[in-house]
Amino acid sequence: MAHRSPLRSLPVWERAAKVGWEKTRLRLRQEHAHFSTTTSTSTSNRIDTSANLLLRQEKDGVLTLNLNRSRQHNALNQTLLHDLKQELERAQNSLLGKDDGNDPLIRSIVLQSNGSVFSSGHDLKEMNAMSSSEQMELMQLCSYVMQLLSEVPQPTVAVVEGLATAAGCQMAAACDLVVASREKAQFSTPGATTIGLFCHTPAVPLVRCIGLKRAKAMLYTGQVLAAQEALEYGLVSHLVNSIDTNPKEFGAQLAREIANNVSFPALALGKKTLHRQMEAPSLKQAYNIASEAMVENLQTQDGQNPEETSLVDQFGDLVAWNRSNPS
């Protein structure tokens, strides 16, 4: 029976509010331990033990994860996926790390890579050497990591400076925001047209980003999207001229702006609600979900501003500045 992501059954902020930080943290650890057990049995002897496949830096509330397998085009082998899983779970749990109500240490996440390729997708050599049961475990692990990129409370930012293909494209699409180099970034899902392996799992976040027809064009023909096209399609959120601006520096600045948000609980609740209302089967249900979230947000300390009557009162100086400095 396929393992169900604990993130779907355990909304972090709701649990934290209802049963307390310590119980929530214990529950998360138990479920994560269960997942680790189910995905590391028969394939454990195949794990690449080479070090530093994933580099990490934590500064100013931003966790930066750097894929460091450039000689293999940052292919997602089992070790790299386990490392990503561990870091994303740690980031998720950082918001539960203190019982005194302090802000989490990690408030946004950047995913980037070394080398000229963002990620070439799965490590085909490793995958083809596996049994079918081991391949299924690998697919479950990869799918779980992709879900974490979408479902951790912290906004996730992918910085793409080269080719993102197959599961590499999937990884970018799974992130909340994508910063792309105008000159170097490309996106493709060419499995069916190059190696006879359809990009089934990469299609999951891709179709949710760019729509069914455009996703089919990429999946059926191997179409390569240049950065400008990816921006127009909705796969990229920020396009950077890398001649003038370093995409990694731009991504870091964007992540710092997010990390400095006035209320991380409000942002985390907003991210969760965005995903929930987008998945709602009707407009009415989407509004119900959003209305419940508004009321929940209003009950928090951050959401209570008794002296303000509107956002204009809170940001009056900014509004006045914008009027005097039209773009």
Side-chain angles (χ1 to χ4, degrees), residues 161 180-184 239-247:
E161 296 182 272
S181 164
R182 181 186 297 273
E183 297 80 12
K184 299 177 182 178
L239 201 58
V240 176
N241 185 340
S242 56
I243 297 175
D244 301 322
T245 305
N246 186 310

Coordinates of all heavy atoms in Angstrom, one line a residue, residues 161 180-184 239-247:
E161 N 19.6 28.0 -13.7 CA 20.6 28.7 -14.6 C 21.0 27.9 -15.8 O 21.8 28.3 -16.6 CB 21.8 29.0 -13.8 CG 21.6 30.0 -12.6 CD 22.9 30.4 -11.9 OE1 23.2 29.7 -10.9 OE2 23.5 31.4 -12.3
A180 N 14.7 32.3 -13.1 CA 15.4 31.7 -14.3 C 16.3 32.6 -15.0 O 16.0 33.8 -15.1 CB 14.4 31.1 -15.3
S181 N 17.5 32.2 -15.4 CA 18.4 33.0 -16.2 C 17.8 33.1 -17.6 O 17.5 32.1 -18.3 CB 19.7 32.3 -16.3 OG 20.5 32.8 -17.3
R182 N 17.7 34.3 -18.1 CA 17.1 34.6 -19.4 C 17.9 33.9 -20.5 O 17.4 33.3 -21.5 CB 17.0 36.1 -19.7 CG 16.4 36.4 -21.0 CD 16.5 37.9 -21.3 NE 15.7 38.7 -20.4 CZ 14.4 38.9 -20.5 NH1 13.7 38.5 -21.5 NH2 13.8 39.7 -19.6
E183 N 19.2 33.9 -20.3 CA 20.1 33.4 -21.4 C 20.3 31.9 -21.3 O 20.6 31.2 -22.3 CB 21.5 34.1 -21.3 CG 21.5 35.6 -21.5 CD 21.0 36.3 -20.3 OE1 21.0 35.8 -19.2 OE2 20.7 37.5 -20.5
K184 N 20.3 31.3 -20.1 CA 20.7 29.9 -20.0 C 19.6 28.9 -19.6 O 19.8 27.7 -19.8 CB 21.8 29.9 -18.9 CG 23.0 30.7 -19.2 CD 24.0 30.7 -18.1 CE 25.3 31.5 -18.4 NZ 26.2 31.5 -17.3
L239 N 12.3 36.4 -14.3 CA 13.3 36.2 -15.3 C 14.4 37.2 -15.1 O 14.2 38.4 -14.9 CB 12.6 36.5 -16.7 CG 13.3 35.9 -17.9 CD1 13.5 34.4 -17.8 CD2 12.5 36.3 -19.2
V240 N 15.7 36.7 -15.1 CA 16.8 37.5 -14.7 C 17.8 37.5 -15.9 O 18.1 36.5 -16.4 CB 17.5 37.0 -13.5 CG1 18.8 37.7 -13.2 CG2 16.6 37.0 -12.3
N241 N 18.2 38.7 -16.3 CA 19.3 38.9 -17.3 C 20.6 38.6 -16.6 O 21.1 39.4 -15.8 CB 19.2 40.3 -17.8 CG 20.2 40.5 -19.0 OD1 21.2 39.7 -19.1 ND2 20.0 41.5 -19.8
S242 N 21.1 37.4 -16.8 CA 22.3 37.0 -16.0 C 23.6 37.7 -16.4 O 24.6 37.7 -15.7 CB 22.5 35.5 -16.2 OG 22.6 35.1 -17.6
I243 N 23.5 38.5 -17.5 CA 24.7 39.4 -17.9 C 24.8 40.5 -16.9 O 25.9 40.9 -16.5 CB 24.5 39.9 -19.3 CG1 24.5 38.8 -20.3 CG2 25.6 40.9 -19.6 CD1 24.2 39.2 -21.7
D244 N 23.6 41.0 -16.4 CA 23.6 42.1 -15.5 C 23.4 41.7 -14.0 O 23.9 42.4 -13.1 CB 22.5 43.1 -15.8 CG 22.6 43.6 -17.2 OD1 23.8 43.9 -17.7 OD2 21.6 43.8 -17.9
T245 N 22.7 40.6 -13.8 CA 22.4 40.2 -12.4 C 22.7 38.7 -12.3 O 22.3 37.9 -13.1 CB 20.9 40.4 -12.2 OG1 20.6 41.8 -12.4 CG2 20.5 40.1 -10.7
N246 N 23.3 38.3 -11.2 CA 23.5 36.9 -10.9 C 22.2 36.3 -10.4 O 21.7 36.7 -9.4 CB 24.6 36.8 -9.8 CG 25.0 35.4 -9.5 OD1 24.2 34.5 -9.3 ND2 26.3 35.2 -9.4
P247 N 21.7 35.3 -11.1 CA 20.5 34.7 -10.7 C 20.5 34.2 -9.3 O 19.4 34.3 -8.6 CB 20.3 33.5 -11.7 CG 21.0 34.0 -12.9 CD 22.2 34.7 -12.4

